[in-house]
Amino acid sequence: MSAIKLKNIVKRYGDGFPAVNDVSIDIADGEFVILVGPSGCGKSTLLRMIVGLEDITDGELSIGEKVVNDLPPRERNLAMVFQNYALYPHLSVYENIAFPLRLAKAPDDEVDTKVREASATLELDEHLERKPGNLSGGQRQRVAMGRAIVREADAFLFDEPLSNLDAKLRGQMRTEIARLQKKLGITTVYVTHDQTEAMTLGDRVAVLKKGVLQQLATPRELYENPGNLFVAGFIGSPPMNFLPAEVEGTQLKLPFGTVEIGEEKAAKGRDKGLLIAGIRPEHFEDASLSDKASDGSTFSAPVDFVEWLGHETYAYVPFEAPAEVKERLAELEKDLDGEGLRTQLVVSLDGATTIKQGEDAKLWVDASKIHLFDPSSGENLTVDAEHAGEIHGRAMAEAAALPD
Amino acid sequence: MKRKIGLVVGVALVLVWCLLPVAWILALSFKSQAAVSNGSDPGFLPLDSFAGWSNYADVWADEQFRRAILNSIGISLISTLLSVIIATLAAYAIARLEFRGKKAVLSVALAIAMFPVVSLVSPLFDLWRTIGLYDTWPGLILPYMSFTLPLAIWTLTAFFREIPWEMEQAAQVDGATSWQAFRKVIVPLAAPGVFTAAILTFFFAWNDFVFGITLTSTEAARPIPAALSFFVGPDPFQRPASLLAAAAVIATIPIVLIVLVFQRKIVAGLTSGAVKG
């Protein structure tokens, strides 16, 4: 087991296009780090550079104390689980798991002990003699993991290991992976585009956009203190709401009314003209159900659609945004692999709410949780820097400057 | 129902069309030499003139025939083996590596495969006599390889392209050198392709007549198809038709065996289960 250090890693392809741009991450021994971002953000390339399947154009990669930039994959002693499992179809499950040991010329009895140990951990015992072609997706996934855990590798690397499974199995395997990692205490780097996996699995999460590291922090820090619009929009489901806003005194002017935000926050956004306010859906509440509804942060808004999920209710409130903000949000939506269909507010209310679609609803917003973003740079003006991990200043602007 | 009858009739027609010559040769090989010469038993089945295994025994007793069979087996197997090994390596390089002139290699290979065999015979005859390859095993193995390699390379390249890159990368991460990854993962996965190429190469070498008759002069290297054309029975003035038929049947046996053995290896979908898809 070892720490992995990425220092100013750059990957440039033949056409000069930087797929990974100056990324530095220190992964501690035994830590579970997630690389997350929309498709094409360079997360897989970064992982493949760590494992040695992709050359490093510039920068320094060390595992333990050793710089491994120029070592072939087999000398890095890392185990990897591929997105499509990459099992050896001509070998039985047993031989698939034993493959790394056989390559290392381990004696037969040692191979047998280790394979059986791994198969017991992964509950593959009754499948050992079968061929991968006869296994279900989840079983194949476990075989791929067995192949990784059977050898005492310095670290595990996962490349979107769950993206080929159906939703239910994905949830189970996610827990399984987390449990296994905690049990083995092995350094792990995990690539995904799924923010739920990122939030639930990682000790720390690195959010990437177009090969530029945006923020590296714990899931909680990312959620509560996103460094910029991109991170804010990427982490969380349903995503954070972005509204055009302006600070006047200690008041924040939103499309539906004004909200008192206090001097400290207001000072950060004052005299900056039009801003983007970011408010998470759950920071709203049905004013009639809230006992805090009297502190001046209530407003009335037309609800055009309601989704009742039992424990909570999503209400959709359309609003008009000035062209400048609209354009910015459409751009952001594109970066996040989504489509900017309409500007609307999604609020998550208690399941007990009686708000109906087509009605005007009285909503309360938790003003202390509002973030203010600079529309041009995308930076979070109200970030609590002490609880935001590493934010890479101007990362969003840097990424935006790169060609698509 | 109607379609089923049509299918049965169609299959029967094709079978008769394909197997009639074989059946004919088989029937002929069991008739006595005399009956064939004077036409006393013109029927398809050897009724009055049934000769039992005597034709086969006579052919097998012939020293030259045994020698020709040995030549054919040896030459065909060696050219198949060499051709498949070289083609596997070449095809892997073409499928996996980026290098200049990759297209050129493939098109030249195809061009060679299309080259008419006959036009090469006389230059080769001269060349082989000069450098001492005339009437030797290598003298036949070389032209067989050069004609079967292109086809083998094309077949195998297609197979290698179908094998996902990840297989190899997984092996490398698991601790394999490039060579180990090739030998332990890629080659087993390409086995159907390798055996297809092997069968094609073996057929070409076994069935060749033109090279066999022009580049050999004695039983030192003469393969079976050429040897059959020189075959003379005990009576030089009588064509030994039933003996030839028996010889032809014997010459077919190795081909049937090879196909039966290799066919089992050509299992489609061997790569299923490697990756999700």
Side-chain angles (χ1 to χ4, degrees):
Chain A
M1 269 165 264
S2 308
I4 300 176
K5 272 198 176 63
L6 286 77
K7 212 164 121 197
N8 306 101
I9 297 285
V10 176
K11 174 72 191 183
R12 218 183 302 277
Y13 285 109
D15 55 1
F17 175 77
V20 172
N21 207 350
D22 200 19
V23 170
S24 301
I25 304 176
D26 276 359
I27 302 165
D29 190 4
E31 193 178 19
F32 200 139
V33 166
I34 311 276
L35 305 178
V36 72
S39 55
C41 72
K43 54 192 190 298
S44 284
T45 312
L46 194 55
L47 190 78
R48 294 166 63 82
M49 283 196 284
I50 297 176
V51 81
L53 294 171
E54 202 86 59
D55 292 333
I56 296 170
T57 314
D58 204 4
E60 196 179 276
L61 170 70
S62 43
I63 299 171
E65 295 302 308
K66 203 159 126 209
V67 177
V68 296
N69 277 34
D70 298 319
L71 290 185
R74 66 173 185 281
E75 284 169 34
R76 297 192 186 190
N77 195 26
L78 303 172
M80 177 155 168
V81 174
F82 289 77
Q83 180 172 10
N84 54 18
Y85 320 140
L87 302 178
Y88 310 121
H90 57 296
L91 300 177
S92 64
V93 168
Y94 183 99
E95 285 302 325
N96 260 285
I97 298 177
F99 192 79
L101 300 172
R102 300 255 189 244
L103 286 173
K105 305 240 170 359
D108 276 350
D109 50 336
E110 186 193 328
V111 171
D112 196 65
T113 331
K114 287 190 171 168
V115 171
R116 302 224 174 255
E117 205 178 300
S119 89
T121 314
L122 295 163
E123 292 172 35
L124 281 168
D125 284 340
E126 65 262 50
H127 307 298
L128 280 180
E129 300 314 316
R130 296 169 75 188
K131 290 275 169 71
N134 303 327
L135 300 179
S136 70
Q139 289 163 343
R140 285 184 205 176
Q141 170 70 59
R142 296 212 297 274
V143 177
M145 279 170 52
R147 201 168 59 187
I149 62 173
V150 77
R151 40 189 282 242
E152 278 123 32
D154 285 338
F156 282 168
L157 307 174
F158 290 89
D159 188 3
E160 308 220 14
L162 305 182
S163 59
N164 279 332
L165 301 177
D166 58 45
K168 186 172 172 228
L169 207 49
R170 202 180 305 159
Q172 290 172 348
M173 287 307 295
R174 197 173 69 209
T175 330
E176 224 29 64
I177 289 178
R179 192 170 291 149
L180 195 67
Q181 198 268 343
K182 289 286 166 281
K183 187 174 138 195
L184 302 173
I186 189 167
T187 315
T188 303
V189 185
Y190 186 108
V191 162
T192 181
H193 63 267
D194 181 306
Q195 58 98 17
T196 319
E197 278 173 33
M199 298 288 280
T200 50
L201 285 172
D203 293 328
R204 280 193 302 160
V205 178
V207 184
L208 290 151
K209 180 194 173 195
K210 286 192 189 161
V212 181
L213 181 60
Q214 304 288 316
Q215 190 170 5
L216 173 64
T218 64
R220 177 168 225 127
E221 287 168 341
L222 281 183
Y223 192 80
E224 291 176 351
N225 270 306
N228 58 39
L229 268 180
F230 178 81
V231 177
F234 191 79
I235 301 291
S237 170
M240 188 184 262
N241 294 297
F242 296 118
L243 306 162
E246 246 174 299
V247 177
E248 268 174 26
T250 56
Q251 303 238 304
L252 188 66
K253 257 180 73 185
L254 294 170
F256 309 105
T258 48
V259 173
E260 176 67 40
I261 53 171
E263 172 56 25
E264 195 193 340
K265 205 164 258 183
K268 290 175 181 162
R270 200 171 290 146
D271 303 328
K272 294 228 162 93
L274 194 58
L275 301 174
I276 293 178
I279 316 172
R280 296 223 175 260
E282 67 273 23
H283 295 146
F284 291 93
E285 193 46 83
D286 181 349
S288 61
L289 294 174
S290 172
D291 49 0
K292 291 172 272 186
S294 55
D295 60 0
S297 308
T298 46
F299 57 89
S300 173
V303 172
D304 82 330
F305 192 70
V306 171
E307 285 172 342
W308 184 75
L309 301 173
H311 64 296
E312 59 184 350
T313 302
Y314 294 149
Y316 295 84
V317 182
F319 65 88
E320 280 305 316
E324 188 192 341
V325 171
K326 210 167 178 172
E327 201 180 309
R328 189 80 185 99
L329 292 180
E331 207 178 294
L332 179 68
E333 203 47 43
K334 212 181 94 210
D335 287 342
L336 294 168
D337 282 350
E339 273 179 70
L341 292 176
R342 62 187 79 221
T343 47
Q344 61 180 1
L345 185 68
V346 184
V347 302
S348 157
L349 308 173
D350 194 285
T353 183
T354 51
I355 290 176
K356 292 199 178 56
Q357 56 198 54
E359 287 177 1
D360 268 15
K362 266 195 110 54
L363 297 172
W364 170 81
V365 60
D366 184 351
S368 66
K369 300 280 173 58
I370 296 178
H371 286 288
L372 296 175
F373 297 91
D374 180 331
S376 55
S377 73
E379 247 139 275
N380 186 349
L381 303 169
T382 51
V383 70
D384 176 1
E386 274 173 38
H387 298 103
E390 295 170 38
I391 300 175
H392 293 254
R394 298 204 42 78
M396 201 170 158
E398 265 173 48
L402 292 171
D404 278 311
Chain B
M1 195 59 205
K2 233 179 188 167
R3 283 186 58 177
K4 212 171 175 190
I5 292 175
L7 186 73
V8 170
V9 171
V11 168
L13 272 177
V14 171
L15 274 182
V16 169
W17 174 263
C18 293
L19 292 182
L20 193 64
V22 181
W24 199 279
I25 286 276
L26 260 177
L28 197 57
S29 73
F30 284 108
K31 288 184 179 178
S32 75
Q33 184 59 45
V36 175
S37 304
N38 55 32
S40 64
D41 184 14
F44 175 68
L45 290 174
L47 298 173
D48 311 331
S49 55
F50 186 66
W53 294 101
S54 71
N55 285 327
Y56 289 88
D58 287 351
V59 166
W60 195 249
D62 189 327
E63 164 72 31
Q64 278 196 24
F65 178 80
R66 291 208 303 268
R67 181 69 209 180
I69 283 270
L70 182 71
N71 284 339
S72 258
I73 292 178
I75 291 172
S76 303
L77 281 183
I78 294 175
S79 30
T80 303
L81 192 71
L82 289 178
S83 182
V84 165
I85 291 176
I86 296 174
T88 309
L89 297 174
Y92 180 73
I94 289 168
R96 282 291 191 256
L97 306 180
E98 281 306 323
F99 57 90
R100 270 145 77 82
K102 192 157 123 175
K103 278 240 166 67
V105 170
L106 277 176
S107 6
V108 168
L110 199 63
I112 290 174
M114 291 172 172
F115 215 76
V117 173
V118 185
S119 62
L120 269 183
V121 161
S122 33
L124 267 185
F125 177 77
D126 272 346
L127 184 62
W128 272 194
R129 286 216 315 177
T130 319
I131 62 176
L133 281 179
Y134 182 71
D135 202 21
T136 60
W137 278 21
L140 283 179
I141 292 172
L142 279 177
Y144 289 167
M145 277 175 61
S146 56
F147 272 93
T148 53
L149 260 178
L151 197 60
I153 291 177
W154 273 80
T155 318
L156 282 166
T157 306
F159 266 88
F160 281 135
R161 285 208 173 117
E162 296 234 324
I163 298 175
W165 256 113
E166 276 92 350
M167 308 284 0
E168 220 176 329
Q169 295 174 340
Q172 286 184 15
V173 174
D174 281 343
T177 59
S178 300
W179 171 247
Q180 282 174 319
F182 174 69
R183 195 168 53 86
K184 298 199 168 173
V185 175
I186 301 302
V187 171
L189 289 183
V194 171
F195 285 106
T196 311
I199 284 199
L200 291 173
T201 310
F202 189 85
F203 275 14
F204 181 91
W206 188 267
N207 290 335
D208 166 72
F209 179 73
V210 179
F211 287 125
I213 202 154
T214 44
L215 300 181
T216 61
S217 60
T218 66
E219 61 209 48
R222 185 178 289 150
I224 191 85
L228 283 184
S229 74
F230 285 107
F231 202 71
V232 197
D235 179 356
F237 298 104
Q238 219 174 49
R239 257 184 73 72
S242 54
L243 280 185
L244 273 175
V249 170
I250 295 178
T252 318
I253 292 172
I255 287 276
V256 174
L257 283 182
I258 291 267
V259 171
L260 284 182
V261 170
F262 282 8
Q263 197 189 30
R264 290 166 178 272
K265 303 282 182 186
I266 308 178
V267 189
L270 196 75
T271 49
S272 75
V275 294
K276 167 94 179 182

